[in-house]
Amino acid sequence: MSLLSKDTDSAFEGAGSKAGLEIWCIESLWLVRVPKSSHGKFYTGNAYIILNTVLPKTGPPQHDIHYWLGNDSNKVDSALASDKALELDAALGSCTVQYRELQGLETERFLSYFKPCIIPIEGAYSSQEGHLNGETYKVSLLTCKGDHVVHIKEVPFSRSSLNHNDVFVLDTASKIFLFSGCNSSIQERAKALEVVQYIKENKHGGKCEVATVEDGKFVGDSDVGEFWSLFGGFAPIPRDSPSFQKQSDTPSVKLFWITTQGKLSQTGTDSLDKKMLETDKCYLLDCGGEVFVWMGRQSTISERKISISASEDFLRNQDRSTGTQLTFLTEGLESAIFRSYFDNWPQKVEPKLYEEGRGKVAAIFKQQGYDVKEIPEEDSEHFINCRGSLKVWRVDGDELSLLPALEQTKLFSGDCYIVQFTYPGNDRDENLFYAWLGRRSVMEDRKAAISLMNAMVDSSKGDPVLAQVVEDKEPVQFFLIFQALIILKGGMSKGYKKFIAEKGIADETYEENKIALFRVQGTSPNNMQAIQVDPLLQVSSSLNSSYCYILQTETFIFTWIGNLSSTRDHDLLDRMLELINPTWQPTSVREGSEPDIFWNALGGKAEYPREKEMKGYVEDPHLFALNTNEGDFKVRLTQSVKEIYNFSQDDLTTEDVLVLDCHREIYVWIGYHSNIRSKQQALILGLKFLEMDILVEGLSLETPLFIVTEGHEPPFFTRFFEWDSSKANMHGNSFERKLAILKGKPQNLEVSVRSSWKAHSRETTPDGLRSKSVSSNGQGRSASPATNVLGSNLMSPSNQQFSGPTPIVRKLFSGSSPLSGAASPAVEPRSPSQGVGLIQADGSGDCMNLLSYPYERLKVISSDPVAGIDVTKREAYLSDEEFLEKFGMTKRAFYGLPKWRQNKLKMSLDLF
């Protein structure tokens, strides 16, 4: 790796150059790389360094460094691990976030890398082949805590270790028992089943019995009797067994400056300001249950090492709980929770962050084949069939008026509207409802629009998606269903007319004989808008060199072409002009050659933006679980909202309410077994989430908000997951579903007709199977038959997929596992002309039957394009050598990335 200095450990050679995990272990005071086959195996006698590299949508790679300390590791190895983590940070341009991970007290971010769990192994790691590392089998009792990731802790094999609040796994030589405390949650029990499956496959080779034991139920069940006999017979568990120690709701926050001698000097408490953090110093932020060390970008390596030692001494001297988390942050890479402790933290990240450390890393990645420039955003996202039917109602107080077809593409900014879009699904129609709130509409109309939309949704068939959008904040999907939309100033409702009359405001409602200025925007003829803007006294905020405009006066029509506009913009200008008024005969002027009559109509010449308008940086989406107690929808940052890292479809737990934060739009997902019973409640939760701004990203309260229910997810939601439609038909709670799969019952693979569209995300493949996901342009992509056949998702113990519609049972099975021994139905391989049928989701599989073609022929725009290939899998036809050259990674690594990241990389190479 080019950033390695002479003082950097050679074991870090090439570190961070590929997406995914890299792990090193301290062995006899040396740093050795752990092979991928041993990832997830941690020995209690060692200290480890874990690097996770992510390729975001835009910008250079992002790195998280964790150093994990086993309970039996010595102090020398522990200190060396923290030093090596800092050394790796320096090698990566000082642009990482570092976490200290203690065995049994790991962060959820760390555990999310190793789903379903990690179970530390007694002994020490050895890189020598054939060494047993001290690993021996023994009976063990484990506690399993957590709804989305599992914290595993081995406890003494004793009745006194059991309690009513937790879930336990008892692993014996012939049988695995799952004991569920009566106060444990369904989600925790379900996650513990994944641990049972993991132990069964990895420690028993799939050959052992599994039984469930419920706290308080023991009459007439042989498994329960056998379980208690291992503890010397049944006896009641005390009711006062301790559980988690609850943290204070409002912990005192203190900020300390760490001197160059390692001393702590308090500089602030509770009310903190970012200006307190000087770039050439290091600071410690004590938040009670979590401690942060902030390292200024101008601080030296020696100062950072001193700050790490000082923070660990601080925790020891304060006699803090071993569960106190310790996180190290570099200036410019502060986490959301850290920023939330400071008043008015600036929203914009300084560009110098990329010009310094990350800029160096970007240069390295470019040399290795990565394109780390900002990847163009999808301009036209056809995730649903946009040729459906449209109905638009104008809201006037409590009254609704259906607009004629010719008028439904003209909205007034002083009014509110309800939009119903019906599009063809799989054997039935799907409905999407929007409440569109004009920028200048009155509050009474806004409230009425939401209320009336909810009533329409409740009375409609199926379970439609509901959305609230505000003018100027519309998502791309909204414009796509209109195809051509005109937004006019003023309003028609009685509430708006009354308001402007009472305030003495002139009525600016659009009329054809008045001066009007329209900004034309969009990405294609199927997605174009004309937005009326203020022509008088506000020229500086109305014109922009990046756009084209239409100026309407009493006697003339002008089209104004900005110098930074494209030929596509010019085409849209002509189309919109004809839609607004086909009788107009405009005079076309280019920016810089306007006649005086043009400026006179606008109230005089003035300054306006002349630089290219750039779209802001958008991070990958984040998934959060909301803890909604019975009837209580008060959401607080520290207790009721939890981020789910490295999320997948399996994290959409049926008992939960989750929020998918896509930054430009928010989705509230309602599980079928959650305690949310109306979309009105879900909408309130979504608004509260926006108010909290969990990621401290400056979320507007006007961010588009979608309400989605389990089993009825639209393609523009499922695109963020590697989606398996068959899971929409699963029955029962989370525990029952996973228990059915653990028992070996077949899945119901029938695709739910309520959450799919055959022409796109659920396109029927030639062999009759359904595809699993949607490409970022909305076109259906064929999945490998091997990923759809029975049991194909259950073979890998490191990535279990649990689903299935069978009721709960107590005794499961004995002998060999049907999951590991059942034969899959035979699948006929498809030829290249039928699609890439043998490529698995992780890139594995037999690709021998695929023909290879050169990159220049596989590009979307090619002078000699290849015919008869699956155009959604162009990259799969590259040779292994050319694939590595273009993508900077192997095919297996590429197919291990989330779908939207795959699509972004393919777009940057013109393969999408």
Side-chain angles (χ1 to χ4, degrees):
M1 189 171 181
S2 301
L3 286 180
L4 289 180
S5 68
K6 62 180 181 180
D7 298 323
T8 304
D9 199 307
S10 60
F12 289 138
E13 183 72 34
S17 61
K18 301 290 176 65
L21 286 177
E22 296 173 81
I23 302 178
W24 297 264
C25 179
I26 306 293
E27 181 185 4
S28 301
L29 299 181
W30 287 92
L31 193 67
V32 296
R33 186 181 285 268
V34 177
K36 288 189 179 295
S37 60
S38 295
H39 283 191
K41 291 183 178 180
F42 293 91
Y43 289 86
T44 61
N46 292 101
Y48 292 80
I49 295 173
I50 298 91
L51 170 65
N52 184 53
T53 301
V54 174
L55 299 176
K57 289 182 178 180
T58 56
Q62 298 174 354
H63 306 285
D64 286 309
I65 297 175
H66 306 256
Y67 61 95
W68 186 90
L69 309 177
N71 288 340
D72 301 326
S73 61
N74 58 54
K75 292 183 179 180
V76 175
D77 284 354
S78 299
L80 183 58
S82 65
D83 287 347
K84 289 297 181 181
L86 193 60
E87 190 177 302
L88 178 57
D89 169 68
L92 293 170
S94 297
C95 285
T96 74
V97 179
Q98 301 167 58
Y99 305 84
R100 184 186 66 162
E101 307 285 354
L102 302 180
Q103 179 184 333
L105 300 167
E106 297 88 354
T107 62
E108 295 205 352
R109 183 187 297 272
F110 177 81
L111 292 175
S112 71
Y113 305 145
F114 306 102
K115 292 180 179 180
C117 64
I118 61 170
I119 302 178
I121 304 167
E122 287 192 2
Y125 174 80
S126 174
S127 56
Q128 297 178 9
E129 293 185 7
H131 190 80
L132 296 178
N133 302 317
E135 183 179 355
T136 58
Y137 180 82
K138 70 168 188 174
V139 175
S140 58
L141 182 64
L142 308 172
T143 59
C144 302
K145 299 181 181 182
D147 295 345
H148 292 278
V149 294
V150 189
H151 294 264
I152 302 292
K153 183 178 181 181
E154 185 170 358
V155 295
F157 178 29
S158 168
R159 186 201 319 278
S160 61
S161 297
L162 302 175
N163 62 58
H164 298 289
N165 302 308
D166 298 322
V167 183
F168 296 81
V169 173
L170 177 60
D171 179 21
T172 72
S174 59
K175 184 179 287 189
I176 304 173
F177 296 88
L178 177 70
F179 175 83
S180 301
C182 58
N183 296 328
S184 62
S185 69
I186 292 295
Q187 297 97 312
E188 282 188 309
R189 300 180 189 189
K191 294 303 291 186
L193 279 176
E194 297 183 19
V195 177
V196 170
Q197 175 74 6
Y198 176 83
I199 294 173
K200 175 176 165 39
E201 297 295 337
N202 286 272
K203 294 186 68 174
H204 297 270
K207 297 180 180 180
C208 71
E209 294 186 42
V210 177
T212 61
V213 178
E214 293 185 42
D215 185 10
K217 297 181 181 180
F218 57 91
V219 178
D221 191 295
S222 60
D223 286 328
V224 176
E226 183 181 354
F227 173 80
W228 286 113
S229 68
L230 296 171
F231 293 92
F234 173 78
I237 300 174
R239 287 289 173 184
D240 56 349
S241 298
S243 185
F244 289 109
Q245 185 175 3
K246 188 175 180 180
Q247 297 283 346
S248 171
D249 288 350
T250 56
S252 177
V253 179
K254 298 177 183 178
L255 181 67
F256 299 88
W257 165 46
I258 305 175
T259 69
T260 53
Q261 291 77 37
K263 304 297 183 181
L264 270 62
S265 174
Q266 186 168 338
T267 60
T269 180
D270 294 331
S271 181
L272 303 176
D273 192 281
K274 184 180 183 296
K275 294 179 181 178
M276 296 178 176
L277 305 175
E278 299 182 32
T279 188
D280 60 345
K281 296 179 180 178
C282 296
Y283 295 83
L284 183 145
L285 182 68
D286 180 12
C287 308
E290 187 168 12
V291 171
F292 296 92
V293 174
W294 183 91
M295 299 175 285
R297 297 193 65 77
Q298 300 302 319
S299 61
T300 64
I301 294 294
S302 61
E303 288 174 329
R304 297 184 183 196
K305 286 186 177 181
I306 291 171
S307 68
I308 292 175
S309 299
S311 62
E312 293 176 340
D313 291 340
F314 172 79
L315 293 179
R316 282 192 294 269
N317 296 335
Q318 292 280 320
D319 196 25
R320 288 296 178 86
S321 165
T322 54
T324 303
Q325 293 182 5
L326 185 56
T327 305
F328 305 95
L329 303 167
T330 302
E331 179 183 358
L333 294 169
E334 297 85 358
S335 63
I337 187 67
F338 178 86
R339 287 180 277 139
S340 69
Y341 289 111
F342 292 78
D343 298 329
N344 303 316
W345 188 281
Q347 298 298 331
K348 292 185 177 180
V349 178
E350 294 294 331
K352 66 181 181 181
L353 172 64
Y354 292 95
E355 296 168 6
E356 295 177 3
R358 284 196 173 186
K360 297 176 184 177
V361 177
I364 300 301
F365 273 73
K366 285 183 180 180
Q367 293 177 4
Q368 297 176 353
Y370 286 99
D371 183 3
V372 295
K373 297 178 181 178
E374 183 171 341
I375 300 174
E377 181 185 13
E378 300 103 322
D379 285 330
S380 188
E381 303 176 337
H382 292 276
F383 296 113
I384 61 175
N385 186 340
C386 294
R387 299 290 182 179
S389 62
L390 186 69
K391 290 183 180 179
V392 181
W393 291 266
R394 179 183 292 116
V395 176
D396 194 351
D398 293 330
E399 300 177 1
L400 284 177
S401 57
L402 181 64
L403 300 184
L406 294 178
E407 297 295 323
Q408 65 185 9
T409 58
K410 296 179 181 179
L411 308 181
F412 287 87
S413 62
D415 291 334
C416 295
Y417 298 83
I418 296 175
V419 177
Q420 178 185 4
F421 182 67
T422 304
Y423 59 96
N426 208 5
D427 301 328
R428 61 165 291 164
D429 288 338
E430 300 289 350
N431 284 296
L432 174 59
F433 283 86
Y434 289 94
W436 186 86
L437 312 179
R439 176 66 57 188
R440 301 193 181 184
S441 59
V442 297
M443 187 57 65
E444 292 81 359
D445 284 347
R446 293 189 174 202
K447 291 180 179 179
I450 299 298
S451 177
L452 291 169
M453 178 180 63
N454 276 285
M456 295 173 70
V457 168
D458 291 341
S459 63
S460 63
K461 294 181 180 180
D463 206 343
V465 175
L466 175 154
Q468 173 183 306
V469 299
V470 179
E471 180 187 354
D472 295 336
K473 298 288 185 179
E474 299 91 346
V476 174
Q477 199 69 50
F478 181 82
F479 290 135
L480 285 170
I481 66 175
F482 277 92
Q483 298 190 10
L485 180 63
I486 303 170
I487 299 179
L488 304 168
K489 298 178 69 65
M492 308 297 287
S493 78
K494 293 189 288 291
Y496 172 78
K497 298 293 186 184
K498 179 182 178 182
F499 174 79
I500 62 173
E502 291 176 348
K503 298 295 183 179
I505 302 174
D507 190 351
E508 56 182 4
T509 302
Y510 173 79
E511 295 180 18
E512 290 190 1
N513 59 352
K514 291 183 178 180
I515 295 178
L517 180 65
F518 294 91
R519 182 181 69 246
V520 176
Q521 61 189 39
T523 59
S524 74
N526 295 324
N527 169 23
M528 56 183 182
Q529 307 92 48
I531 314 295
Q532 187 180 356
V533 297
D534 291 311
L536 302 176
L537 305 179
Q538 297 187 33
V539 178
S540 59
S541 61
S542 297
L543 293 179
N544 187 307
S545 297
S546 298
Y547 295 99
C548 296
Y549 291 79
I550 299 171
L551 175 61
Q552 165 193 328
T553 71
E554 296 179 359
T555 55
F556 295 99
I557 301 296
F558 288 98
T559 56
W560 185 85
I561 300 175
N563 287 336
L564 299 179
S565 61
S566 65
T567 54
R568 179 191 64 185
D569 298 325
H570 307 162
D571 177 59
L572 298 184
L573 176 65
D574 295 336
R575 292 173 181 269
M576 287 306 303
L577 187 70
E578 185 174 354
L579 282 174
I580 296 175
N581 192 327
T583 65
W584 281 348
Q585 298 295 322
T587 300
S588 179
V589 297
R590 284 194 167 270
E591 181 180 3
S593 60
E594 304 88 350
D596 291 340
I597 190 173
F598 176 87
W599 292 117
N600 292 337
L602 293 177
K605 193 172 183 178
E607 288 300 316
Y608 55 85
R610 298 174 186 268
E611 296 180 355
K612 184 67 176 177
E613 191 171 81
M614 301 297 293
K615 293 183 179 180
Y617 172 83
V618 179
E619 295 182 355
D620 287 343
H622 295 255
L623 185 66
F624 297 90
L626 304 186
N627 180 17
T628 57
N629 297 321
E630 293 294 336
D632 180 14
F633 304 112
K634 294 181 180 179
V635 182
R636 286 177 292 178
L637 173 63
T638 55
Q639 291 190 357
S640 296
V641 181
K642 179 184 293 185
E643 182 165 3
I644 302 171
Y645 302 100
N646 297 306
F647 62 84
S648 66
Q649 183 184 356
D650 287 332
D651 288 308
L652 302 178
T653 313
T654 186
E655 293 83 13
D656 286 339
V657 176
L658 300 110
V659 173
L660 185 67
D661 180 358
C662 303
H663 311 285
R664 289 181 179 171
E665 55 199 32
I666 300 293
Y667 297 86
V668 179
W669 182 89
I670 310 170
Y672 182 79
H673 289 89
S674 71
N675 61 355
I676 302 298
R677 287 292 170 261
S678 76
K679 293 190 176 180
Q680 180 70 46
Q681 291 174 333
L683 193 59
I684 293 172
L685 278 177
L687 292 172
K688 287 184 177 292
F689 181 87
L690 289 175
E691 289 176 5
M692 288 189 304
D693 193 12
I694 300 295
L695 297 176
V696 197
E697 57 186 325
L699 273 181
S700 168
L701 294 179
E702 298 175 347
T703 302
L705 186 58
F706 291 83
I707 309 300
V708 176
T709 52
E710 181 184 5
H712 304 269
E713 297 89 351
F716 51 87
F717 173 83
T718 61
R719 64 190 167 115
F720 296 106
F721 303 82
E722 187 173 343
W723 197 259
D724 182 355
S725 305
S726 65
K727 294 182 180 181
N729 282 347
M730 296 186 300
H731 301 302
N733 60 38
S734 299
F735 182 75
E736 293 168 343
R737 295 177 181 184
K738 293 182 180 180
L739 187 58
I741 289 300
L742 186 57
K743 184 185 176 186
K745 290 290 186 179
Q747 297 183 58
N748 182 356
L749 292 181
E750 179 186 355
V751 178
S752 171
V753 298
R754 299 171 298 179
S755 58
S756 59
W757 174 41
K758 67 175 70 176
H760 281 70
S761 66
R762 313 294 187 260
E763 184 176 8
T764 304
T765 57
D767 55 5
L769 298 171
R770 306 294 183 188
S771 66
K772 290 180 62 177
S773 61
V774 183
S775 63
S776 66
N777 67 355
Q779 301 303 312
R781 54 169 50 172
S782 299
S784 164
T787 64
N788 287 277
V789 295
L790 174 60
S792 62
N793 288 330
L794 303 171
M795 300 303 291
S796 172
S798 62
N799 185 26
Q800 301 299 334
Q801 307 289 329
F802 291 87
S803 59
T806 58
I808 184 171
V809 292
R810 185 174 298 277
K811 184 161 184 178
L812 304 180
F813 52 89
S814 60
S816 61
S817 168
L819 298 181
S820 59
S824 299
V827 178
E828 291 295 330
R830 288 177 284 175
S831 66
S833 63
Q834 293 175 295
V836 188
L838 298 180
I839 295 180
Q840 308 294 322
D842 62 353
S844 64
D846 182 10
C847 299
M848 296 294 291
N849 292 332
L850 288 180
L851 298 177
S852 294
Y853 299 100
Y855 168 72
E856 293 299 327
R857 295 193 63 194
L858 290 170
K859 292 194 302 182
V860 174
I861 301 177
S862 172
S863 58
D864 183 23
V866 181
I869 64 170
D870 183 347
V871 295
T872 67
K873 288 281 189 180
R874 294 176 186 272
E875 78 287 351
Y877 296 92
L878 290 170
S879 66
D880 291 342
E881 295 77 12
E882 194 165 17
F883 191 97
L884 183 62
E885 176 190 346
K886 296 297 182 182
F887 285 89
M889 66 183 77
T890 64
K891 289 183 179 180
R892 180 179 294 275
F894 174 79
Y895 289 112
L897 299 175
K899 289 297 182 183
W900 65 88
R901 292 202 183 109
Q902 294 181 24
N903 294 337
K904 288 293 185 182
L905 289 173
K906 288 161 62 176
M907 287 174 62
S908 67
L909 293 170
D910 196 26
L911 292 172
F912 186 77

